[in-house]
Amino acid sequence: WYQRRVRKAVVSTQSTGTFTSEEEAVSLANRTRYGLQAYIFTRDLSQSWRVSEELEYGMVAVNEGAISSANNPFGGWKESGIGREAGHTGIHEFQEDKLICFGL
């Protein structure tokens, strides 16, 4: 079940009523070792926030097909990688944090 990483466009369609619950849809979407991008199409804004937060993906697009831009952090979860490229978080790959504590 979704065990191969695909490096090209994939289209999946689900007709209305395919899932018996929102939880089932999220569980099905998360049932993979990968997690680069997910897409949600809905008219319900509160549902889009709930589902987006539950999806185990680095990038989630709601009612949008073009998810990437130079201003957005790019990266995935799980076996789709860690860290981010581009966006304000992309610079963290090139920084080292240091704590200096003085006892006065």
Side-chain angles (χ1 to χ4, degrees):
W1 181 259
Y2 300 119
Q3 298 304 312
R4 298 180 79 187
R5 185 169 184 167
V6 178
R7 297 205 178 262
K8 54 187 133 192
V10 175
V11 177
S12 173
T13 59
Q14 299 290 335
S15 62
T16 304
T18 299
F19 307 110
T20 58
S21 69
E22 186 175 293
E23 293 78 17
E24 181 185 3
V26 170
S27 175
L28 179 63
N30 288 338
R31 196 181 313 157
T32 176
R33 298 185 327 224
Y34 308 108
L36 184 59
Q37 298 178 5
Y39 299 86
I40 302 168
F41 293 91
T42 181
R43 292 185 180 120
D44 186 340
L45 186 60
S46 61
Q47 179 186 48
S48 69
W49 278 108
R50 278 193 315 274
V51 173
S52 294
E53 290 175 346
E54 294 298 320
L55 287 171
E56 298 169 356
Y57 290 80
M59 300 177 288
V60 178
V62 178
N63 298 335
E64 177 65 49
I67 195 169
S68 296
S69 82
N71 298 324
N72 296 338
F74 182 90
W77 286 14
K78 305 179 196 176
E79 291 185 34
S80 288
I82 58 171
R84 296 290 177 266
E85 300 172 5
H88 69 279
T89 55
I91 193 67
H92 296 304
E93 296 291 322
F94 303 99
Q95 295 177 324
E96 293 292 334
D97 293 332
K98 181 184 287 188
L99 170 67
I100 301 173
C101 181
F102 288 90
L104 302 175

